[in-house]
Amino acid sequence: MVDHCGFYIVREAISQLSVSHNMTKMVDMGRNIFQSEDPVAMIQAVKEVVHDNESPEKAFDLYNTLKNKG
């Protein structure tokens, strides 16, 4: 195990970087949602992509439709 100690340290570091990178993407996504012209419409459009497997193009159309109704 001592011979492979460096491997475990590197693997753990990569794992932590991956978690950190994912958290950074989520924070950036949240910021973009809440700074959009219509955050509620943006959340509904993102939900369509994430939970209903909708295409980004259709979700963007939904966002614009909901934004313009308000």
Side-chain angles (χ1 to χ4, degrees):
M1 177 128 166
V2 174
D3 293 336
H4 301 297
C5 186
F7 168 76
Y8 292 109
I9 292 171
V10 170
R11 186 179 71 178
E12 185 62 26
I14 290 171
S15 174
Q16 292 301 317
L17 284 174
S18 178
V19 168
S20 176
H21 181 69
N22 287 338
M23 291 299 293
T24 301
K25 290 192 301 189
M26 287 189 293
V27 168
D28 187 48
M29 185 173 133
R31 180 178 52 90
N32 288 328
I33 288 171
F34 291 107
Q35 289 180 350
S36 69
E37 289 180 44
D38 189 340
V40 173
M42 182 65 76
I43 289 170
Q44 290 175 330
V46 169
K47 177 208 144 297
E48 291 294 315
V49 173
V50 173
H51 294 289
D52 299 332
N53 295 320
E54 192 59 76
S55 71
E57 294 80 14
K58 287 188 178 183
F60 186 63
D61 288 341
L62 173 65
Y63 167 73
N64 284 320
T65 299
L66 294 171
K67 180 182 74 167
N68 293 330
K69 282 185 179 179

